[in-house]
Amino acid sequence: MILIADSGSTKADWWLAEGGRAVRRAATQGINPYHQGEEEISSIVLGELVPQMGGCEPQGVHFYGSGCREEVAPVVESALRRAFPGAEAIEARGDLLGAARAVCGRSEGVACILGTGSNSCLYDGEAIVANTPPLGYILGDEGSGAVLGREFVNALFKGRLPEALCREFMAESGLTMADVIRRVYREPLANRFLASLSPFVHSHLSCPELRSMVIGSFRSFLRNNVACYRRPDLPLGIVGSVGYHYSAELAEAAMAEGMSLGQVVSSPMEGLLRFHCGEA
């Protein structure tokens, strides 16, 4: 029996698996060792996760999370060891390796994360061998939900989208230009706010200008982050809600850049289950 986790900063999903299938699923608040210490992480695991495990003791624990860099991974592993002292193996790795294992398995490939933020890597079937730094939504993160939101409000308020669309957005959201500026420049978590505008963008892709903007953002992501791996022969494996919901536009962008899509999934959990159960 193994326990697999996929964690963002807000929410973590946990699957207890046996015989190649999930036998129990749980959710806790997110774990990010870049912002949380061992005591806080241990409190989350012991207080929120363990009560949902029904007394089951996993033999292996595989944790993947944002902010789980090599230098802070031992903090997560130590907290997990407190909760599951009988586990034979415990590993904590970054979400990018989790994405690569989920969509590439044990084969060579290019793996990308397209969610609130974006990231990518070249994966040799065992490890990440190249990674273009995403730089965050201000300096980079092309193709992410945050950047799609940023580009949308920029185009909207600078008159590059139809006036009727602007009126519809303001009526539906209740936001004015002043509200948007305040949310971005004066309140925390501006990236999440901008990403929250993505559903409106997605539901209005019939607008040619908006669809062109979205495809352009994905092409920018591929040119600035993926082309440098110089492996157009490898299909792109995509993990994340933005990649999943905009898969048609992403496929068009990839074709325009001489690339092709492989697996596109909203969550890495099914792929990680296959990987750790020897089916990848």
Side-chain angles (χ1 to χ4, degrees):
M1 187 174 290
I2 61 171
L3 180 63
I4 302 170
D6 171 48
S7 179
S9 295
T10 304
K11 177 176 174 287
D13 292 317
W14 305 79
W15 285 14
L16 190 66
E18 187 171 29
R21 65 184 184 90
V23 296
R24 189 178 293 268
R25 303 185 187 195
T28 68
Q29 64 178 286
I31 290 172
N32 187 327
Y34 188 77
H35 301 295
Q36 297 164 310
E38 182 178 334
E39 291 302 323
E40 185 175 355
I41 295 171
S42 183
S43 177
I44 294 169
V45 175
L46 290 169
E48 298 182 28
L49 175 64
V50 171
Q52 299 182 67
M53 290 292 97
C56 296
E57 281 283 344
Q59 283 77 53
V61 182
H62 306 280
F63 176 95
Y64 300 92
S66 57
C68 197
R69 299 170 183 165
E70 186 176 355
E71 63 270 21
V72 292
V75 173
V76 180
E77 292 171 350
S78 181
L80 291 169
R81 178 67 65 188
R82 288 197 206 181
F84 306 108
E88 296 173 5
I90 292 178
E91 68 166 344
R93 310 297 291 270
D95 57 352
L96 188 57
L97 180 63
R101 286 178 170 179
V103 294
C104 302
R106 290 177 171 79
S107 299
E108 189 179 22
V110 173
C112 306
I113 294 175
L114 287 172
T116 298
S118 65
N119 207 344
S120 68
C121 70
L122 179 63
Y123 173 73
D124 68 1
E126 294 184 1
I128 292 171
V129 294
N131 167 237
T132 306
L135 299 181
Y137 74 102
I138 294 176
L139 299 177
D141 268 7
E142 301 90 345
S144 68
V147 169
L148 288 179
R150 187 191 73 196
E151 294 185 354
F152 167 64
V153 294
N154 181 284
L156 196 70
F157 294 129
K158 292 192 175 185
R160 291 186 285 112
L161 294 175
E163 186 176 334
L165 186 67
C166 183
R167 289 196 301 267
E168 183 178 351
F169 169 74
M170 295 175 81
E172 184 177 311
S173 68
L175 296 168
T176 65
M177 181 169 64
D179 292 329
V180 171
I181 290 173
R182 173 177 52 80
R183 293 287 300 272
V184 171
Y185 289 103
R186 296 185 180 178
E187 296 186 9
L189 302 175
N191 60 330
R192 293 186 193 176
F193 165 69
L194 289 169
S196 75
L197 306 180
S198 176
F200 182 90
V201 173
H202 185 265
S203 65
H204 292 79
L205 287 174
S206 58
C207 170
E209 296 92 340
L210 201 53
R211 191 171 189 275
S212 177
M213 183 203 80
V214 168
I215 292 172
S217 187
F218 289 143
R219 291 189 68 177
S220 180
F221 168 75
L222 296 172
R223 285 196 302 269
N224 294 332
N225 299 277
V226 176
C228 58
Y229 303 138
R230 303 184 187 281
R231 293 299 306 270
D233 57 305
L234 295 175
L236 308 177
I238 311 292
V239 174
S241 58
V242 169
Y244 182 77
H245 290 294
Y246 290 90
S247 58
E249 292 69 34
L250 185 56
E252 185 172 330
M255 183 178 296
E257 296 297 327
M259 304 176 193
S260 62
L261 292 188
Q263 287 194 65
V264 180
V265 297
S266 179
S267 164
M269 293 299 277
E270 290 282 358
L272 288 172
L273 179 62
R274 290 192 299 271
F275 180 89
H276 287 291
C277 291
E279 300 174 14

